[in-house]
């Protein structure tokens, strides 16, 4: 498939992220067949021009590429290894791209198992969240063989803007996990500054503005700072999804003997937030851990 | 003094930062009298157009404003309360501005003591480091009364670009300490991502570039990331100076009953770096703590 040609996509996983990505592939002119464990998610996309499928195998049958966007490692493994799965029934184009955030160890195993049967596998997790998914501005970090990446790239262009081949199978997940650990620690940093600044009685919005101009600047201070200052623990990338990613970070770090004390600490704070019922709130709700610590909750 | 007028400055403390700030005040057209405990520092500036003084009182005598830029709280207290100090011998203009990073508690005490004798005190710590000092692009965070800030502002404009009155006496120090705690935690985040990414075998410079485009972006990833990736523990804002600032953060946090677990952890890592002889290295040398933890040192 050439740079501007369109193709046939099997898309599996139509949650908050996946349904927007599938929509953008349709908009980009690809023929998209969709599958999800929830029938109604399939029905919604079918009404928008997708072809419905009743199993991963059926979504794959006529596809140049199958793309999966699922909650966690077991769901991706199920789609690959399960009954009516992709290992037994690969897409016609022999290319599977998983865009979920899952275990790099599982990625390497699936890559090897699929390779042995003649199917390419690319791990291509994303950052940018639901808004990036909706506006087709995701950052896509892809690991896998160069030829497989090249075949997947025209499809990536329908979903994201910054698309990088970061290395061998599993490298996409590795970079994504590094992204997530930095995000969580940077959020903690903003929480601590706001907790201290508030106790000192300074104007927090003005402080944020001053700090954004210098060495303390971060995406998190910029984007999540206002909600933290306002005490708004509502929507956004959810605490429980970050906690899932932090679990993957720690599994990977343990497998490779890399101590990560900062990540360990912030993970325990995320667990505390979830224990207090904030799993469904956005990541800025980590500041509530500080509210409780300072007896302000 | 109006917005574009020049005045007479007593400048005390001619270290790495202070000497550049004094030079910029001379360039801005102010009449600058300088004092430092090291005679040779005074001699250097005298050769560049400053008037030498033999004591804080002498530097202050004919000045509209005295500016201090000193290593830590005791040195500033010494200049204010000591023999030939500013409490007994205030500047003619009755305005003292301390631009060091020191204890907010000490600031409020000096403000009160000087106020009682009719002298205004402004705390105006800076960020931007030696390069910001040299190029007159410092970020200046000032606490104090509005009228005192207004009198100091024309002098600030000779040294910095982002100048903000952040609140009451001590507020400048409070914002600066929040800046420093975010910086240290953001550095830790970059260290952990590099440690994990390296163990995963990804191209670290490419990873940094990808992460800078998304939610993990920070000034520290941008500016200190390259030196960490290169294993360069050389020049920059020194580990031991950050450790001094982190001590002030923890003193303030303890005084106000604000637990800061992330800051406590990163402080212990800075202590470890210093214990291994890295106090004189730049902050990026924190990655050496991770080198030792992963048996790469």
């Amino acid at each position: 498939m050439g740079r501007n040609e369109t193709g046939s996509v099997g898309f599996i996983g139509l949650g908050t992220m996946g349904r927007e990505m599938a929509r953008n592939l349709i908009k980009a002119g690809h023929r998209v067949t969709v599958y999800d464990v929830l029938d109604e998610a399939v029905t919604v996309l079918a009404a928008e021009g997708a072809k419905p499928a009743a199993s991963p195998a059926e979504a794959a049958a006529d596809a140049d590429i199958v793309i999966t966007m699922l909650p966690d490692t077991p769901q991706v493994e199920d789609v690959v290894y399960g009954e009516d799965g992709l290992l037994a029934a690969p897409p016609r184009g022999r290319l599977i791209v998983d865009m979920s955030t899952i275990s790099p160890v599982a990625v390497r195993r699936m890559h090897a198992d699929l390779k042995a049967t003649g199917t390419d596998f690319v791990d291509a997790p994303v950052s940018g969240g639901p808004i990036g998914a909706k506006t087709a501005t995701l950052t896509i970090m892809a690991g896998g063989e160069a030829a497989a990446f090249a075949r997947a790239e025209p499809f990536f262009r329908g979903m994201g803007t910054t698309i990088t081949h970061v290395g061998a199978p599993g490298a996409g997940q590795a970079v994504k996990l590094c992204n997530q650990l930095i995000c969580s620690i940077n959020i903690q940093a903003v929480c601590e500054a706001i907790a201290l600044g508030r106790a000192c009685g300074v104007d927090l919005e003005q402080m944020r503005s001053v700090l954004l101009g210098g060495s303390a600047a971060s995406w998190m201070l910029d984007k999540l700072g206002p909600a933290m200052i306002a005490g708004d623990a509502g929507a956004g990338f959810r605490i429980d999804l970050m906690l899932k990613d932090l679990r993957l970070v720690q599994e990977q770090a343990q497998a490779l003997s890399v101590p990560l004390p900062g990540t360990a600490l912030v993970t325990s704070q995320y667990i505390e937030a979830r224990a207090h019922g904030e799993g469904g709130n956005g990541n800025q709700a980590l500041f509530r851990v500080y509210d409780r610590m300072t007896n302000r909750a």
Side-chain angles (χ1 to χ4, degrees), chain A:
Chain A
M1 198 179 100
R3 193 170 166 89
N4 292 307
E5 289 173 51
T6 59
S8 168
V9 184
F11 202 103
I12 298 172
L14 304 170
T16 310
M17 297 291 290
R19 64 169 176 254
E20 302 295 346
M21 294 158 72
R23 278 174 179 142
N24 285 325
L25 288 168
I26 295 169
K27 282 182 201 157
H30 302 292
R31 296 178 301 288
V32 181
T33 304
V34 295
Y35 171 72
D36 192 280
V37 289
L38 295 177
D39 291 341
E40 59 194 52
V42 174
T43 307
V44 168
L45 266 287
E48 299 180 23
K51 187 174 158 193
S55 70
E58 193 180 321
D62 187 41
D64 297 312
I65 180 175
V66 168
I67 295 173
T68 54
M69 189 64 182
L70 294 159
D72 204 346
T73 313
Q75 289 81 30
V76 179
E77 289 178 330
D78 213 45
V79 162
V80 171
Y81 295 108
E83 208 181 334
D84 287 327
L86 302 174
L87 185 63
R92 183 171 46 75
R94 296 267 168 186
L95 176 59
I96 298 171
V97 176
D98 177 43
M99 303 186 74
S100 327
T101 298
I102 66 168
S103 157
V105 176
V107 162
R108 283 192 294 274
R109 186 166 78 100
M110 286 189 280
H111 177 271
D113 291 343
L114 286 160
K115 191 78 190 165
T117 63
T119 298
D120 287 327
F121 184 83
V122 172
D123 55 301
V126 305
S127 76
I131 291 169
K134 197 179 175 89
T135 57
T137 57
L138 292 169
T139 293
I140 300 173
M141 300 152 257
E145 284 142 34
F149 172 78
R151 289 206 290 141
E153 202 184 8
F155 299 96
F156 289 152
R157 282 201 301 273
M159 300 178 280
T161 40
T162 306
I163 299 157
T164 313
H165 181 217
V166 294
Q173 296 298 346
V175 171
K176 174 68 190 282
L177 295 183
C178 290
N179 186 81
Q180 297 305 79
L181 86 78
I182 292 181
C183 285
S184 64
I185 296 177
N186 286 1
I187 290 168
Q188 180 198 53
V190 178
C191 287
E192 300 213 347
I194 289 175
L196 183 61
R198 179 167 62 183
C200 292
V202 304
D203 178 326
L204 295 175
E205 192 41 61
Q206 187 186 50
M207 177 174 90
R208 172 178 159 276
S209 164
V210 170
L211 299 188
L212 277 175
S215 49
S218 68
W219 192 96
M220 286 298 165
L221 179 61
D222 187 22
K223 306 296 189 204
L224 293 198
M228 285 193 206
I229 291 168
D232 165 14
F237 183 70
R238 282 157 50 195
I239 289 277
D240 54 12
L241 288 175
M242 180 62 98
L243 205 38
K244 180 211 86 173
D245 294 351
L246 290 170
R247 174 178 53 73
L248 294 172
V249 170
Q250 299 205 307
E251 283 174 14
Q252 179 75 346
Q254 191 167 336
L256 298 170
S257 290
V258 182
L260 299 176
T263 304
L265 174 59
V266 78
T267 301
S268 82
Q269 294 181 310
Y270 272 85
I271 294 170
E272 181 178 342
R274 186 175 60 183
H276 283 267
E278 281 147 20
N281 289 332
N283 267 247
Q284 74 278 8
L286 195 70
F287 76 80
R288 289 200 165 169
V289 171
Y290 288 84
D291 281 348
R292 276 187 296 278
M293 282 198 294
T294 51
N295 203 20
R296 284 172 170 266

